[in-house]
Amino acid sequence: MATTRLERGSLLVGGRELLSQCPPEVTLRAAVADAAPGAAFLGASAAAPSSRHVFSLGTIPKGWRWLSLFKLKIWWMAPKTGADAAGVPAETQMLLLEKRGNGAEDAGYALMLPALHGDFRASLQGSPENELQFCFESGDPDVQTKDAVDAVFVNSGDNPFKLIKESIKVLSKIKGTFSHIESKETPANLDWFGWCTWDAFYKAVNPVGIEEGLQSLREGGAPPRFLIIDDGWQEIVNEFKEVDGALVEETVFAERLVDLKENDKFRGEACKNLGDLVKKIKETHGVKYVYAWHALLGYWGGVCTSSDVMEKYNPKLVYPVQSPGDVANLRDVAMDSLEKYGVGIIDPEKIYEFYNDQHSYLSSVGVDGVKVDVQNVMETLGHGFGGRVALTRKYQHALEESIARNFKGNNLICCMSHSSDHIYSALKSAVARASEDFMPREPTLQTLHIANVAFNSLLLGEIFIPDWDMFQSKHETAEFHGAARALSGGGVYVSDKPGVHDFNVLKKLVLPDGSILRARYAGRPTRDCLFNDPVMDGKSLLKIWNLNNLSAAVGVFNCQGAGNWTWLVEEISHVPTAVNITGQLSPSDVESLEEIAGDDWNGETAVYAFNSCSLSRLQKHQSLELSLVTMTCEIYTISPIQVYGGAVRFAPLGLLNMFNSGGALDSITGTVDSSATTVQIKCRGPGRLGAYSSARPALCRVDAHEVEFSHSDDGLLAFDLSDGSSHSSLWNIEILYTAS
C-alpha cells in the first residue's frame, strides 16, 4: 500500500523520497480517503497572517523528472518538463513526477495538485535556490491567514493516468466544490459537427454571412448541426472614443455591454431579430443547437455602469489587480488594458439575476446554450469582494444555476478559464476549452496548439470534456488539426469562411447526417511522451491515445521544428524548420486496452494505419517503426483480435475513410454452429467498413443484403456501406464463414 510520510525533513511517497530538506514549518495531513489511502495534504504555517504567502517545501532529489501544467498567461495553461525544482514555473497547477527503477516497467509516479482551501488558492513554483515552493493567496488584502492548511494534495501510484483520475475524484469528494467529469451531464451537441463564426468573420459576424456559411458547408456534404455565434452580436459601447482624434487601439478590450439583446446587425432586412435568424437557420439548414457567446462579466470590459438596462444589477467600475503569478510568465495585453481602463463588474449578489435575465432572453429566441469567455478575469477582482476564490465561486455557481434553469442539456462551454479558482469550482460545467485559440494567421503556433491541448487534457479531462477549439478546413495545417480533433474526445467544429472549405478533410470527420465519431475519453499523450518536449527537443514525436467501443486509436504527430514555446527555454541545439523523426508505435501505448478487449484476449492486435492504408498484426508489447516529417501525422486504429469458432481470428477496424475509424463501431458478437461461424457487427455509416480477418468469409451481408467484398493477403476485409441519406440507425452487418 502506497503511503505518504514526512520524516526528518524528507517527504516520502510510495517508499521514494520526493522532497528533501523540508523546512520545519511544513506540515502533512492524511487525506483520509478510502480510494487513496496514501493521499495527503501538504501545508505550512507562517509567523504572521497575510493575504499572500510563499512557503518552501524543500528540494526535489535527483532521479525524478517532472511535467508541469502551469498558467503561461492569465487565461491558459501550458506544459513544461524538467528535473530540478528551480525549473518548475510559477503558477504550476499540476506537477506530475516520475522516478524510474531498473526500467520503464518499474517507474513510480507522484502527483502534486495545489488546491483551494477556504478563500485561498495554492500554486507551485521553483526558486533560484532550487527549492520547490507553494504560493498561498486570497487576492484580497483584507482576507488573511497564517496557516496554509490542505494546500497541496499529494498522491502516488504506478500508473500516471489512474493516479490523476483517482486523485481528482478524491479531491472533489474532500473539497465538495467541484465534480469529476463522470458525474456531469454531457451536452448533446458534442456528437454533432459544428461551425463557429469567429475566424470566419471575427466581430463582423452578421446574419447574411451566417446563412452563407451554413449553406456552403451543407451543400458540400458536411452539414453543421451545431453553431456558435461568437463575439460580435451584442450591444456594446467604447467609452474611450477620442484620444488625439482617434480610437485608442488598446481600449478594444475595455468595451462594455449596454444591453442584453442583440445589436442592430441582427435587426434589419436580413432578419427581424435574433429569434428570427435562429428559427430560419434551424428550419432551413437543419441546425440542431445554437450557442451564443458572452463574457463572464457580460463583455471583455464588463458592463456599462451608466446603462439603464444594467442599473438593476448595481454595477460599479473596478480596476483589476494582477497577482505576481499572473505576470511571472507572459503578460497579457487584454489584462493590461483592463488594468488601465477598468471593468464594469456586477454586484455579486445580483449576478444570478443578470445571468438569468441574459439566458432567459436567449432561450426565448431559440438559443440553446452559451460559450462563456474571459472567465479568469475574476481572479484579479477579489479586492473588496472576499478574495479571488470566493468571487470566482459565486459567479461560477450562479452561471451554472442559470444554465440549468434556462437551457436543456447543460449547454455551456467555459473558455479562458484555466485558473484553479475556476477549475475547482466547476460543479456542473462539463465542457472547457483546452488551450489558447487556434490562430490561422500564426504559422509558428500550429504545432504548439496540438501539444498544448493534449497535455492540458491530462488535468482538464478529469473535470471537463476538453474542447480542442475550432480550426479551418482549407488551411495548410488542416489535416494535422483535423486528425487531432478526431482523437480529442470532444467536439469537432470549424471556423471556415463561407465557401472556403476542403471537404476532403471534413469528410474524414463528419458523416453525411452531420454526426461525428467521438472517442470515449479525453485524448492525452501516451505514457512514453509525458516527460518529453514534443515541440522543441528535436527528437520526440507526440503520440495521443484514446478508446472507442471496440478499438483504440493512437495519433502520432511530428510537432518539431515548426514553432517554439513562447517562454524562455534552456539553450538547445538548432532544430531545422523541417525535420524527419523516427519513432515507435505499440498497442501498449494505449492505456486500458483490456477494457475493450475482454477476458479471453491473448494480447494480439490488428493495427491499421490511416494514411498509408497498411495493416499489421502486433502482440500488445510489440512495436512498429514509423517516420514523420514536420507537421505530418498518422493515425493508427488498434483492435484486439478475437478468436471465433476456434479458427477465425477477427478484429473490426471501422470506417477506413474516417480519421477515427473505430468510432463508427457499436458492438460485435459471434455465433458458432456446426456449419458456420457468423460475426455480427453494428456500425454507423456510410463509408468503407474494414476489419482484420484471418480467413476469407463466404459472404458478407449489410441489413440482410449480400454485398461484394475484398479480402487481401494481409487479412484486410473491406466492403462499402452505401450512402443512403435516410439511414439514421445502425447498420446490421453479418460476416459468414462456412466450415471447411
Side-chain angles (χ1 to χ4, degrees), residues 255-571:
E255 293 175 332
R256 298 176 184 139
L257 189 69
V258 297
D259 200 344
L260 299 180
K261 296 185 178 181
E262 64 274 20
N263 59 35
D264 289 344
K265 289 186 295 181
F266 292 83
R267 296 175 179 273
E269 293 183 9
C271 65
K272 291 181 291 186
N273 50 46
L274 182 59
D276 182 45
L277 174 67
V278 172
K279 184 173 184 289
K280 188 187 302 184
I281 61 179
K282 287 185 175 182
E283 291 178 351
T284 304
H285 302 288
V287 174
K288 295 175 177 286
Y289 306 97
V290 176
Y291 278 35
W293 178 99
H294 70 78
L296 189 66
L297 288 172
Y299 201 69
W300 282 86
V303 301
C304 178
T305 56
S306 61
S307 162
D308 292 340
V309 174
M310 300 302 161
E311 183 179 3
K312 64 185 287 193
Y313 309 117
N314 297 341
K316 70 175 182 178
L317 189 63
V318 297
Y319 290 85
V321 177
Q322 297 189 72
S323 74
D326 289 330
V327 296
N329 297 310
L330 278 184
R331 292 187 70 98
D332 184 78
V333 63
M335 279 310 309
D336 290 343
S337 173
L338 295 177
E339 276 188 322
K340 181 176 181 179
Y341 295 102
V343 173
I345 189 173
I346 290 160
D347 183 343
E349 298 306 315
K350 296 283 187 178
I351 187 59
Y352 172 76
E353 183 181 358
F354 170 76
Y355 289 145
N356 185 55
D357 289 348
Q358 172 89 90
H359 297 154
S360 63
Y361 171 68
L362 289 172
S363 179
S364 73
V365 298
V367 172
D368 302 284
V370 286
K371 171 186 172 183
V372 180
D373 220 335
V374 203
Q375 297 202 8
N376 282 2
V377 71
M378 303 309 298
E379 70 182 66
T380 69
L381 304 175
H383 182 99
F385 291 105
R388 54 188 289 174
V389 173
L391 189 63
T392 296
R393 187 163 294 152
K394 182 87 172 179
Y395 270 63
Q396 181 64 25
H397 290 175
L399 175 66
E400 292 181 341
E401 290 306 310
S402 178
I403 297 296
R405 178 173 180 174
N406 292 291
F407 301 118
K408 298 176 182 177
N410 200 20
N411 290 344
L412 167 66
I413 301 171
C414 296
C415 193
M416 301 176 77
S417 58
H418 283 189
S419 175
S420 56
D421 310 55
H422 166 79
I423 293 170
Y424 295 143
S425 296
L427 281 169
K428 298 179 181 179
S429 311
V431 178
R433 271 276 304 283
S435 81
E436 175 74 271
D437 294 11
F438 163 74
M439 296 185 181
R441 295 177 288 192
E442 299 287 348
T444 62
L445 298 184
Q446 305 308 313
T447 55
L448 273 67
H449 187 100
I450 304 304
N452 218 336
V453 290
F455 277 90
N456 285 349
S457 292
L458 288 162
L459 174 60
L460 295 176
E462 299 299 338
I463 301 167
F464 308 96
I465 297 171
D467 177 339
W468 288 17
D469 201 18
M470 65 198 93
F471 71 104
Q472 290 185 326
S473 70
K474 202 172 183 64
H475 190 272
E476 57 268 25
T477 63
E479 288 268 348
F480 202 68
H481 279 285
R485 301 310 188 276
L487 298 174
S488 72
V492 174
Y493 57 109
V494 295
S495 194
D496 293 355
K497 295 180 184 297
V500 184
H501 318 290
D502 185 341
F503 290 102
N504 289 325
V505 173
L506 292 177
K507 289 181 180 180
K508 297 171 186 175
L509 290 161
V510 189
L511 294 176
D513 65 354
S515 64
I516 63 167
L517 306 180
R518 191 164 67 89
R520 184 180 288 184
Y521 301 120
R524 288 159 289 175
T526 58
R527 193 181 302 203
D528 60 342
C529 292
L530 290 175
F531 302 94
N532 298 333
D533 182 351
V535 173
M536 290 188 64
D537 71 7
K539 61 185 180 182
S540 299
L541 296 172
L542 173 63
K543 293 184 286 186
I544 300 171
W545 69 275
N546 214 323
L547 290 178
N548 295 300
N549 289 337
L550 305 179
S551 62
V554 176
V556 188
F557 299 81
N558 185 344
C559 298
Q560 301 285 348
N564 293 338
W565 292 114
T566 47
W567 63 85
L568 296 176
V569 295
E570 296 86 352
E571 289 296 320

Side-chain angles (χ1 to χ4, degrees), residues 85 100 108 149 209 240-241 281 342 354 456 510 559 609 650 675 688 700:
R100 295 201 173 192
V149 183
F240 315 95
K241 287 290 186 185
I281 61 179
F354 170 76
N456 285 349
V510 189
C559 298
F650 188 92
S675 61
R688 187 152 182 86
C700 299

Side-chain angles (χ1 to χ4, degrees), residues 41-91:
F41 285 100
L42 287 168
S45 295
S50 175
S51 62
R52 186 176 189 272
H53 297 279
V54 176
F55 296 103
S56 172
L57 289 170
T59 192
I60 301 172
K62 289 186 177 180
W64 291 94
R65 56 179 182 167
W66 50 256
L67 163 67
S68 161
L69 296 183
F70 73 104
K71 278 204 303 170
L72 173 62
K73 291 199 295 188
I74 186 171
W75 320 109
W76 306 112
M77 289 192 300
K80 185 183 179 185
T81 57
D84 61 336
V88 176
E91 288 292 300

Side-chain angles (χ1 to χ4, degrees), residues 29 69 90 189 272 324 546 573 576 627 636 657 694 704:
R29 188 184 74 82
L69 296 183
N189 67 280
K272 291 181 291 186
N546 214 323
S573 58
S627 294
Y636 294 89
N657 52 299
S694 61

